[in-house]
Amino acid sequence: MSEVRVRFAPSPTGFLHIGGVRTALFNWLFARRERGKFILRIEDTDQSRSTEESIQAILEGLRWVGLDWDEGPFRQTERIDLYRQHAITLFERGHAYWCVCSAEELEARRKEAQAKGLAQKYDGRCRERGITTPGGEAALRFKAPQEGQTVIDDLIKGRVVFENILLDDLIILRSNGYPTYNFSVVVDDALMGITHVIRGDDHLTNTPRQIPIFHALGYAVPRFGHLSMIMGSDKARLSKRHGATSILAYKEMGYLPEAMINYLVRLGWSFGDQEIFSVQELIEKFTFDQVQKSAAVFNPDKLLWVNAHYIRQGEPKRIAELLQPFLAQAGLGDEARAMPAGWMERLVMALRERSQTLVEMAQAAVPYLQQDIPIEDEAAEKFLTPAIAPILGHLAERLAALQEFTKPGQEAAFKEVMERAGLKMGQLAQPVRVALTGRAASPGIFEVIDLLGRERTLARLRKGVERAKAARP
């Protein structure tokens, strides 16, 4: 078998959709498993809609999830002469012809065919006219086969048969000299030596149009595999109303790239009951035999679960680094950078069990980085009562008296205060938690104290005492 060569060929007409990332991922995994090449091609011939901003967003999105390419990125707009040369080659070999039908004429015939219930395809009236040097505007059309069948042994869907009589004589070169999608993609796949074309099944009907062009140009036809679409929970095609669809939007929402890869690969592929995979495991296990034919359903709750897993299991130093931009957005970037070595890793370890995204972790980090914290009214009303004020005051005194501010000393101080007041740990820890974090939920109370340190712990406890004294009985 020759070297496997696959490609991801997005159109830069908007953001990089997560469906596109999944297509890129399946190509990338196949290339890596087979020790082949993954090629990136930007199909930007739609000049009215393609933008440089979209191209950069595609590159950024692929880099973020770690899908590196071996060749490219190629841009179709830089290869226009190649397409024109191949189009003329088809004309000279008798596989293409000039069409001088105007857009108005074509639209009128389309409506007429529609009214009669006929196939809405070009009627071929210029096919045998033998126009060699058109005087005005003219498009070059490919002579599609009109007999027999085009058979696709699809890597995912199996055998798919198309009747050639239904094929249209496609325009391959527009009157403005620009190639059409179905033609330029064949030339690129042929010249780049693409052995396997793996793409969404919205392209399945393009495949019988493209295969005859490969044959007419004398190029080998690649193997095809068409991936099912990703649907929303309502079984409609995934769109913005189902949530974010741009891969970079998930980055901004605090998802980890490895979580996105793990989740997207499971949208349509499985390996037994295993849910969590390292990238190396995916490379070793990925085959098209286990890609499902039916549509995959996007489940945002499952994605959150996967992301939470990677936050919990991630190396704390790396998670701390990824957290920095989100702390900066919360206005806490300087405070985070001023913390001593190792402190951010301890913060991550304290918060990761309760954080599903980096955005949630950044929000949970506020009490530990912000100097003056607000206390939630509901939490204060419930836990910072006049009755608890002297108990908190006593605890502050005992903690302040510790020579070494260590966990054993803190635990001893808590035990003494609880025994004196006749309280259980939960009865004391909850008002302490509210005083220290301003919230009724937090990591373990000694983790909180460890993160805040002696000075801030004592200062906040004393403020808590004042708040409790001022509360209505």
Side-chain angles (χ1 to χ4, degrees):
M1 183 179 177
S2 60
E3 179 187 58
V4 165
R5 292 174 63 83
V6 297
R7 46 73 163 182
F8 177 54
S11 297
T13 56
F15 52 72
L16 180 58
H17 191 283
I18 58 172
V21 177
R22 187 191 64 164
T23 297
L25 172 61
F26 282 21
N27 276 279
W28 186 87
L29 288 173
F30 181 58
R32 294 293 173 261
R33 176 182 170 85
E34 299 296 331
R35 294 180 173 82
K37 294 292 189 294
F38 175 68
I39 295 152
L40 177 59
R41 186 170 76 222
I42 306 297
E43 299 190 339
D44 58 346
T45 54
D46 187 344
Q47 292 178 300
S48 63
R49 299 173 61 214
S50 297
T51 67
E52 185 64 29
E53 181 183 11
S54 293
I55 292 174
Q56 294 309 315
I58 289 168
L59 301 182
E60 184 184 351
L62 291 175
R63 289 188 182 111
W64 179 61
V65 293
L67 299 184
D68 57 331
W69 48 92
D70 303 298
E71 297 176 18
F74 299 102
R75 297 194 186 194
Q76 286 190 328
T77 49
E78 298 172 353
R79 299 165 61 82
I80 299 299
D81 288 344
L82 282 171
Y83 310 135
R84 289 173 180 160
Q85 291 167 12
H86 280 74
I88 296 304
T89 296
L90 285 178
F91 173 73
E92 291 173 344
R93 292 178 181 176
H95 293 300
Y97 61 91
W98 290 106
C99 174
V100 294
C101 299
S102 68
E104 292 77 16
E105 290 172 332
L106 293 173
E107 178 61 18
R109 285 181 225 151
R110 187 193 68 79
K111 289 182 177 178
E112 183 181 346
Q114 185 180 28
K116 294 179 179 179
L118 302 175
Q120 296 171 49
K121 66 174 190 174
Y122 180 61
D123 60 10
R125 66 181 60 194
C126 287
R127 186 172 179 135
E128 305 302 333
R129 290 180 64 180
I131 301 170
T132 56
T133 52
E137 287 192 356
L140 196 61
R141 287 185 182 272
F142 176 70
K143 285 184 179 179
Q146 296 298 295
E147 297 178 348
Q149 298 173 325
T150 296
V151 179
I152 304 164
D153 289 318
D154 196 278
L155 291 164
I156 297 162
K157 296 185 176 297
R159 182 181 170 89
V160 184
V161 179
F162 291 90
E163 299 295 333
N164 289 341
I165 190 65
L166 300 176
L167 296 179
D168 204 353
D169 282 356
L170 292 176
I171 291 175
I172 58 175
L173 208 61
R174 297 185 181 93
S175 59
N176 65 2
Y178 261 73
T180 57
Y181 165 78
N182 276 303
F183 181 62
S184 58
V185 75
V186 169
V187 174
D188 281 339
D189 286 344
L191 296 183
M192 293 178 184
I194 301 302
T195 59
H196 298 75
V197 174
I198 313 303
R199 55 191 179 185
D201 65 7
D202 53 334
H203 285 286
L204 182 58
T205 55
N206 285 326
T207 305
R209 297 183 174 104
Q210 294 167 5
I211 288 176
I213 300 176
F214 278 102
H215 289 313
L217 287 170
Y219 290 126
V221 179
R223 292 291 308 276
F224 289 91
H226 292 88
L227 304 169
S228 62
M229 293 291 99
I230 301 176
M231 303 294 184
S233 56
D234 57 358
K235 301 301 191 290
R237 186 168 179 172
L238 193 66
S239 65
K240 287 183 179 179
R241 64 192 175 88
H242 297 109
T245 53
S246 162
I247 190 66
L248 291 178
Y250 284 95
K251 178 184 179 182
E252 292 167 2
M253 290 190 294
Y255 286 82
L256 303 185
E258 55 268 38
M260 296 303 303
I261 287 292
N262 199 139
Y263 180 73
L264 289 176
V265 79
R266 291 285 288 109
L267 281 179
W269 176 85
S270 61
F271 189 84
D273 295 328
Q274 187 172 344
E275 291 286 353
I276 301 298
F277 299 85
S278 69
V279 171
Q280 189 56 43
E281 281 183 302
L282 289 175
I283 292 171
E284 293 170 359
K285 299 178 185 302
F286 182 83
T287 65
F288 290 112
D289 296 341
Q290 293 143 326
V291 176
Q292 68 186 41
K293 298 178 183 179
S294 57
V297 177
F298 185 82
N299 183 341
D301 292 333
K302 182 67 173 291
L303 174 56
L304 265 179
W305 177 84
V306 174
N307 201 60
H309 166 84
Y310 279 99
I311 286 178
R312 288 195 306 272
Q313 299 299 319
E315 202 275 313
K317 184 176 181 180
R318 176 173 175 268
I319 300 298
E321 291 170 354
L322 294 176
L323 183 63
Q324 289 288 351
F326 298 93
L327 294 174
Q329 288 173 13
L332 298 170
D334 292 341
E335 289 83 351
R337 285 188 290 272
M339 288 298 176
W343 187 90
M344 285 297 300
E345 287 90 327
R346 300 208 314 274
L347 176 71
V348 166
M349 288 187 284
L351 301 180
R352 62 187 178 183
E353 292 298 326
R354 294 171 175 264
S355 301
Q356 293 180 291
T357 68
L358 294 175
V359 168
E360 287 185 7
M361 184 175 281
Q363 293 168 345
V366 170
Y368 309 97
L369 289 164
Q370 196 167 286
Q371 291 304 312
D372 296 317
I373 59 161
I375 296 179
E376 295 174 352
D377 290 337
E378 186 177 345
E381 185 177 340
K382 185 173 181 180
F383 296 108
L384 296 184
T385 62
I388 202 68
I391 299 170
L392 291 182
H394 182 211
L395 178 63
E397 291 172 4
R398 293 297 302 118
L399 291 173
L402 293 175
Q403 289 189 349
E404 295 185 6
F405 204 67
T406 60
K407 186 177 179 181
Q410 296 158 13
E411 288 176 336
F414 267 76
K415 184 177 181 182
E416 179 185 329
V417 171
M418 287 188 295
E419 289 177 351
R420 177 174 169 179
L423 298 178
K424 295 181 178 179
M425 185 61 178
Q427 294 172 301
L428 177 59
Q430 201 60 11
V432 172
R433 176 174 286 110
V434 173
L436 297 184
T437 69
R439 304 171 179 182
S442 79
I445 198 65
F446 296 108
E447 288 180 280
V448 172
I449 292 173
D450 174 60
L451 288 168
L452 291 176
R454 179 194 291 265
E455 291 183 12
R456 287 194 295 170
T457 295
L458 294 175
R460 290 186 185 182
L461 266 180
R462 288 162 182 156
K463 283 188 177 180
V465 170
E466 297 307 312
R467 177 75 179 257
K469 287 179 179 178
R472 290 181 297 179

